[in-house]
Structure formats: structure tokens, C-alpha cells
């Protein structure tokens, strides 16, 4: 049985980071909404209570029954979690005392296994309105900041801790050390969560779950569905059939190159070319949401048409990853963002298929680590994310074959230039593996593409006045696409791409660079 830590989510923006940081330590953990705490069996070595946008002083503040947890297994409350521990067990939480946002200096006051090897003064990240004014009886203070006396505390005679700051946030200098002390030291977890162990246990459990049944999977060319396909292929071999839909909106040559690379990998792939159906359904459509819905509907129809040809299919495999699972679960009573990732909605019930999602417990960076351990080419593992509605949402306004042609050519120049620019002497981390430096600008950016704008502008080429399209370049740095910053390219790179696009793509005479961050903007323009 794998040791695990349970994280109860009270709705903080950074709960996922707690999970990521523990997984970085090779400790297996799972995140549950605070009101869906699983049974505390022998595999649970510790529990963490997350932060929250709520106040424990609210009448309907989210709460959890800690009966079988506190005193039985190690427990760590973070921010709201710490305040909940304080207020539930006789301490006091007030709203009117010092509020702290941002960086603060933590000073250790008493020795504790939680702070083993941590500097006596170090920077931490705070984000709280309420403050703990009094600790429960017998609890002792372990660390303070200038403004917050009870920045870390421990209950007597049990491994229950509270910290007012966020150890999971990168700005907390010694945060990883503290989480490591909790998970590996206090909880005694084994650090056995590695890509190799994941592959071994997942392949075995897929074999048991699926047996001799047939499975179908929709490949997108992206990292998640590719890794899911290779894992399933390892488990059930030729009983897996993959379907790769050409929606007519892919990048230049993408359909053929990706299809070819899948065949090289020994996957059983059917190419479903439905370009014409997609393009005719999109004709004249300008509203982004209508574009998305049209593409989603056609995708399901196309997939269904081909899936029906596979006799006796019992399972539909999907490349769902952990952030999709957590976001879809939502936290009751607390505002939650629900991402509508259009997979093949409606199909499972219609075709009487059961769902199998081998990556549903992995974060994106872990999917990539697993992909590498499976021997998938870096070219595929390191691919940028690409939206399901493809280039349709990068053409502002209606989609026509002519506009698609212009966009494909400009996009191809941009992406090729990113791959060709050696930046190994610069200080950019690789976006697909932040532990190393990026080798080129494609590797350094999380995602990049061109947007075809619905405006024309005046230019001069040779001796002639031109009146042609403008395109925008978009490139961001990010770790999960939830937030993103525009990428600081060297000027010489931007200059070269701009020249190349204007000189080589008929129909374009102006290139602009999008310098908006997310939030408040988004990565895509539609
Ligand atoms: P935004 O534009 O919301 O995008 O900042 C965040 C990430 O999601 C991708 N994206 C989509 N992916 N279907 C998808 O499968 C969509 O409709 C869609 N819209 C955006 C986007 O490319 C980025 O990686």
C-alpha cells in the first residue's frame, strides 16, 4: 500500500501547490474537498488542512470533523487550516488585529521537528485577514513574525501543527524543507512516488481493470493523451485503438507529422479526417463560444462515427489530469472555477462505455516525467499545450480557408524560430522541466502562437502602398496556465520573426507583440 497524505481543500487558490510540492518530494498525496474526507485507513500517514478565502468567524465557515484525525495521525493546518485548529479547540481568532499580505520574516522561537534544519530567520509568504489572538490551552508557539505572534504552533502531546504562513508558496524560502520535515519526518512517509513506480503500478492496475476488453482513446497530439495512450498500450496492447481527429484547424503539417510519429511508437491509430465538415460548420461563425460549441459537437460526432467501427469496445480512455479533476469537483459554498474541458461528452452513456483515466492523479509536470520514463520522444513530451478548438480561436472573427492559410504560415515561422533560437547561455528555465535551463526559446516558453487580427493597416513594401492584415504574437511563461506572464524575448528575436513574417507571408504587413499577463487577460484571445 502506498503511503499517502490527505490534503483537505478549503478553497485556497494555492491548495494545488501543496500537492505539487509534496509530489516534488516523491511523496504521494491526494486532495479532497474539505467535506469529502476519505476514511483514514493505514495508508494515510498525515493530513493537511489548506487555506481558504473564508473566515472561521463566519457563521457558515467551512468546517470538518477531525474526530478520527487529530491525535491519531499527524495534522498540519495552513493559514485558514491553522485558524480552524485554533478556533475549534479553544483558541481565539480575530479579524481586527494585524493583517499580513506578502513577504514576512519568520523567527523560530522553540525547537521543533517541523523546523529541523530551517534557518532561525527566513522569509515566508503570508496572506490572511484574520489573526490568531490566543492559542488553545497547552498549545505552544514555535515561531513568530514581526506582526504575528502565533505564526506557527503545536498542540501538546500530539503531532498537530498550525502555520499561519504558506509553506507551499515558492516565496516561502524554507517552505519545501518544512513540508519535507512534516511529510518525511513527522508523518514518516516513504518517498516512493516516482515515475517508474507509477508506471509499474498503473500498468498492473489497468490490466486488472480492463482485462481482455477493448479500449478506444481520442488522441490530440498533446502530451496528456499521448502518455495515456502509451501507458494503455503497455497494459492492453492491440486491444487499444486510438482515434486522431483532423478538425481542419491544426497547425501547418501537424496532422500528418503527428500521425506519423504515433505510428513510429507502435500505437494502433486511426486518422479521422473531418476537416471539411468542421470548416463548413464554422462558416460565418464569429462568436467565440459558438465556435467552441460547434467544434465540440463535431468532435463528438466524428469520434463516435469512427468509434462505432471498433467492435466490442467497452472502455473510453481519456487523458484527464489532476487539475481537471480538482477543478471539476469544486468546493461547495466557495466560488470555484470550473473548466469545461471538452472531451467526448455524452459519448460514454450513448455507447455504453466505461471511462478509464490513467493520469487522473498526475500534475502536468508529472505527466511529462512519466512520459520521459516511458521513453516518449522529447519532441512529444515537451510540446506546448494547444487548445481543443485549435486555430479557430486564434482567428478573430469568422474562419475561412484563406485566413487559416495566412495564420498557419505565420505560426509556422514563429514556432520554427522559437525552436531555432539557442538560449542555453541565457537564464531561462525550461518550461517542461524547470529543474534545468531551457535549450531554446520553444523550451523556455509554456505556450506560443500567432493570432490573426480582424484589422488591416497601411504599409509600404518596395515602392508600393499596402493595405493588409496585422497579426499578434503571443508567448507566455507559466507553470499551469492558471496564471501566465508574457515572455521577455530578446529584441533581436522579435525583430527577426517580424521581418520573416512580413516578408514571407502574403497578406500580412504588420506584426505586434502581446504584452498582457493572465490575469487580467487570458492566454488565448477568444
Ligand atoms: P486561457 O485562454 O483561458 O487558456 O488563459 C488556458 C489554457 O487552456 C487552453 N485553452 C483551451 N483548451 N479547449 C481546450 O482544450 C478550449 O476551449 C480552450 N481554451 C483555452 C489555452 O490554450 C491555455 O493552454
Amino acid at each position: 500500500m502506498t503511503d499517502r497524505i490527505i490534503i483537505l481543500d478549503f478553497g485556497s487558490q494555492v491548495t494545488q501547490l501543496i500537492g505539487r510540492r509534496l509530489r516534488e518530494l516523491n511523496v504521494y498525496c491526494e486532495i479532497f474537498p474539505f467535506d469529502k474526507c476519505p476514511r483514514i485507513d493505514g495508508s494515510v500517514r498525515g493530513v493537511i488542512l489548506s487555506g481558504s478565502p473564508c473566515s472561521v468567524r463566519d457563521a457558515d465557515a467551512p468546517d470538518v470533523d477531525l474526530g478520527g484525525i487529530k491525535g491519531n495521525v499527524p495534522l498540519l493546518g495552513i493559514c485558514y487550516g491553522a485558524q480552524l485548529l485554533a478556533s475549534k479547540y479553544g483558541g481565539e481568532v480575530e479579524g481586527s488585529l494585524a493583517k499580513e499580505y506578502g513577504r514576512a520574516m519568520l523567527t523560530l522561537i522553540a525547537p521543533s521537528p517541523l523546523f529541523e534544519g530551517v534557518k532561525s530567520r527566513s522569509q515566508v509568504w503570508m496572506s490572511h485577514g484574520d489573526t490568531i489572538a490566543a492559542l488553545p490551552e497547552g498549545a505552544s508557539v514555535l515561531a513568530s513574525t514581526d506582526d504575528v505572534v502565533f505564526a506557527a504552533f503545536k498542540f501538546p502531546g500530539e503531532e498537530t501543527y498550525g502555520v499561519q504562513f504558506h509553506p507551499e508558496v515558492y516565496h516561502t524560502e524554507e517552505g519545501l524543507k518544512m513540508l519535507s520535515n512534516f511529510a518525511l519526518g513527522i508523518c514518516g512517509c516513504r518517498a516512493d512516488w516516482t515515475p517508474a513506480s507509477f508506471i509499474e503500478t498503473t500498468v498492473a492496475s489497468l490490466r486488472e481493470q480492463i482485462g481482455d476488453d477493448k479500449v478506444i482513446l481520442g488522441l490530440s497530439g498533446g502530451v496528456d493523451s499521448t502518455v495515456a495512450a502509451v501507458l494503455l498500450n503497455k497494459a492492453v496492447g492491440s486491444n487499444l485503438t486510438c482515434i486522431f481527429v483532423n478538425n481542419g484547424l491544426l497547425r501547418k503539417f501537424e496532422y500528418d507529422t503527428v500521425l506519423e510519429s504515433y505510428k513510429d511508437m507502435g500505437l494502433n491509430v486511426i486518422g479521422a479526417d473531418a476537416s471539411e465538415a468542421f470548416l463548413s460548420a464554422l462558416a460565418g461563425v464569429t462568436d467565440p463560444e459558438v465556435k467552441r460549441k460547434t467544434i465540440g459537437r463535431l468532435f463528438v460526432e466524428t469520434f463516435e462515427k469512427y468509434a462505432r467501427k471498433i467492435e466490442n469496445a467497452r472502455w473510453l480512455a481519456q487523458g484527464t489530469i489532476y487539475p481537471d479533476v480538482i477543478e471539476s469537483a469544486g468546493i461547495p459554498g466557495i466560488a470555484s472555477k470550473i473548466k469545461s474541458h471538452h472531451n467526448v461528452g455524452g459519448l460514454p452513456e450513448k455507447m455504453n462505455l466505461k471511462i478509464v483515466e490513467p493520469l487522473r492523479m498526475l500534475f502536468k509536470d508529472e505527466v511529462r516525467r512519466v512520459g520521459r520514463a516511458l521513453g516518449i520522444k522529447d519532441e512529444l513530451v515537451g510540446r506546448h499545450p494547444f487548445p481543443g478548438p485549435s486555430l479557430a480561436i486564434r482567428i478573430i472573427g469568422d474562419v475561412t480557408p484563406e485566413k487559416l492559410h495566412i495564420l498557419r504560415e505565420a505560426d509556422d515561422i514563429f514556432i520554427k524560430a522559437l525552436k531555432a533560437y539557442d538560449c542555453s547561455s541565457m537564464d531561462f528555465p525550461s518550461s517542461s522541466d524547470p529543474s534545468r535551463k531551457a535549450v531554446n526559446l520553444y523550451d523556455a516558453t509554456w505556450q506560443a502562437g500567432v493570432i490573426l487580427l480582424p484589422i488591416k493597416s497601411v504599409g509600404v513594401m518596395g515602392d508600393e502602398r499596402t493595405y493588409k492584415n496585422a497579426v499578434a504574437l503571443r508567448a507566455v511563461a507559466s507553470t499551469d496556465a492558471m496564471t501566465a506572464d508574457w515572455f521577455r524575448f530578446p529584441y533581436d528575436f522579435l525583430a527577426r520573426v517580424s521581418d520573416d513574417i512580413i516578408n514571407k507571408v502574403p497578406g500580412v504587413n504588420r506584426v505586434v507583440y502581446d504584452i498582457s499577463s493572465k490575469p487580467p487577460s487570458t492566454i488565448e484571445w477568444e
Side-chain angles (χ1 to χ4, degrees):
M1 201 189 296
T2 309
D3 290 347
R4 59 184 178 144
I5 296 222
I6 300 297
I7 300 161
L8 293 180
D9 184 10
F10 289 88
S12 157
Q13 293 288 316
V14 287
T15 302
Q16 282 198 29
L17 267 186
I18 308 174
R20 275 175 85 118
R21 302 291 262 164
L22 289 177
R23 299 272 187 95
E24 271 173 44
L25 296 164
N26 294 330
V27 169
Y28 184 64
C29 58
E30 289 178 43
I31 303 176
F32 292 90
F34 71 90
D35 60 343
K36 301 227 166 44
C37 182
R39 203 172 59 80
I40 304 299
D41 61 17
S43 68
V44 178
R45 308 300 298 248
V47 174
I48 295 180
L49 310 178
S50 84
S52 172
C54 304
S55 162
V56 293
R57 296 173 301 115
D58 293 344
D60 55 355
D63 195 4
V64 57
D65 176 5
L66 292 173
I69 300 174
K70 187 171 167 294
N72 281 345
V73 291
L75 177 61
L76 172 66
I78 294 176
C79 195
Y80 179 90
Q83 294 171 359
L84 192 64
L85 284 174
S87 73
K88 269 173 95 74
Y89 297 98
E92 269 174 53
V93 173
E94 290 180 0
S96 53
L97 297 179
K99 295 185 200 308
E100 269 192 322
Y101 294 98
R103 293 172 174 84
M105 194 49 81
L106 185 78
T107 304
L108 302 187
I109 290 184
S112 160
L114 188 63
F115 298 129
E116 187 72 41
V118 169
K119 287 190 283 186
S120 59
R121 273 173 71 75
S122 66
Q123 178 185 288
V124 294
W125 185 259
M126 290 280 190
S127 174
H128 59 104
D130 288 352
T131 302
I132 298 168
L135 290 181
E137 201 177 325
S140 55
V141 56
L142 301 178
S144 306
T145 66
D146 291 346
D147 293 323
V148 175
V149 182
F150 305 121
F153 58 93
K154 180 183 183 302
F155 281 69
E158 59 185 82
E159 297 299 335
T160 299
Y161 298 82
V163 290
Q164 182 59 76
F165 55 89
H166 287 270
E168 70 278 26
V169 169
Y170 292 93
H171 305 292
T172 297
E173 227 182 310
E174 301 257 40
L176 193 61
K177 180 90 203 134
M178 295 170 192
L179 289 174
S180 161
N181 286 340
F182 180 71
L184 300 175
I186 296 167
C187 300
C189 279
R190 281 169 298 184
D192 55 3
W193 172 253
T194 61
S197 71
F198 171 82
I199 293 167
E200 198 185 309
T201 51
T202 307
V203 168
S205 74
L206 285 172
R207 276 193 192 127
E208 197 180 308
Q209 188 181 11
I210 296 169
D212 293 328
D213 290 348
K214 290 198 169 166
V215 188
I216 43 181
L217 177 144
L219 275 177
S220 69
V223 184
D224 305 343
S225 64
T226 305
V227 173
V230 174
L231 268 175
L232 276 153
N233 188 47
K234 232 173 141 67
V236 305
S238 59
N239 276 345
L240 171 72
T241 306
C242 305
I243 299 173
F244 180 34
V245 175
N246 184 3
N247 57 15
L249 303 161
L250 300 176
R251 293 182 139 135
K252 190 174 176 184
F253 299 139
E254 181 156 39
Y255 180 61
D256 293 330
T257 11
V258 172
L259 202 52
E260 213 41 55
S261 64
Y262 282 137
K263 289 195 175 136
D264 285 353
M265 288 158 68
L267 293 176
N268 175 16
V269 186
I270 298 175
D273 193 345
S275 333
E276 279 178 27
F278 278 83
L279 294 188
S280 59
L282 282 172
V285 177
T286 52
D287 182 284
E289 278 313 297
V290 180
K291 281 185 189 171
R292 277 197 164 80
K293 291 210 171 91
T294 307
I295 294 165
R297 174 176 55 77
L298 270 159
F299 182 79
V300 173
E301 283 172 21
T302 310
F303 193 83
E304 184 181 12
K305 186 171 130 195
Y306 284 81
R308 285 209 184 277
K309 295 183 186 161
I310 301 154
E311 281 173 24
N312 301 323
R314 291 273 170 276
W315 297 86
L316 175 71
Q318 298 194 325
T320 315
I321 66 171
Y322 206 30
D324 305 327
V325 175
I326 306 170
E327 280 175 21
S328 308
I331 306 296
I334 301 172
S336 60
K337 311 161 291 309
I338 305 213
K339 188 162 101 189
S340 58
H341 56 110
H342 84 257
N343 275 324
V344 274
L347 195 67
E349 302 84 58
K350 224 162 139 189
M351 288 188 61
N352 208 9
L353 295 170
K354 292 179 275 186
I355 297 274
V356 55
E357 296 173 318
L359 307 177
R360 71 189 324 268
M361 301 315 287
L362 300 192
F363 292 102
K364 188 99 186 170
D365 51 341
E366 293 171 323
V367 175
R368 287 187 157 128
R369 280 166 67 194
V370 168
R372 289 194 184 96
L374 281 166
I376 301 174
K377 281 181 283 191
D378 238 24
E379 215 176 291
L380 275 173
V381 174
R383 290 192 102 200
H384 283 173
F386 187 63
S390 316
L391 298 182
I393 54 164
R394 294 190 182 162
I395 293 175
I396 313 300
D398 67 330
V399 178
T400 64
E402 296 71 36
K403 289 182 187 173
L404 271 169
H405 178 71
I406 294 177
L407 179 55
R408 277 200 183 106
E409 294 301 315
D411 180 76
D412 188 51
I413 290 173
F414 185 33
I415 299 297
K416 280 197 178 126
L418 287 165
K419 289 181 177 167
Y421 196 103
D422 180 346
C423 65
S424 48
S425 62
M426 298 175 179
D427 224 9
F428 297 126
S430 158
S431 133
S432 69
D433 177 6
S435 65
R436 61 168 174 80
K437 268 189 178 184
V439 290
N440 58 43
L441 287 177
Y442 183 87
D443 188 23
T445 43
W446 165 267
Q447 194 170 354
V450 177
I451 295 101
L452 182 62
L453 306 181
I455 48 164
K456 292 193 171 186
S457 74
V458 173
V460 54
M461 275 174 126
D463 292 331
E464 281 185 40
R465 178 184 185 277
T466 60
Y467 187 57
K468 294 184 180 175
N469 284 102
V471 296
L473 309 180
R474 181 70 164 142
V476 295
S478 177
T479 48
D480 50 15
M482 307 278 281
T483 61
D485 198 5
W486 60 278
F487 196 85
R488 270 52 166 188
F489 284 125
Y491 281 159
D492 65 321
F493 171 79
L494 286 172
R496 201 178 316 157
V497 173
S498 165
D499 283 351
D500 266 3
I501 291 178
I502 293 171
N503 288 328
K504 295 181 184 157
V505 185
V508 176
N509 69 353
R510 193 172 295 272
V511 174
V512 298
Y513 186 41
D514 179 355
I515 52 166
S516 332
S517 295
K518 173 183 178 176
S521 297
T522 50
I523 297 176
E524 305 295 345
W525 279 39
E526 284 201 332

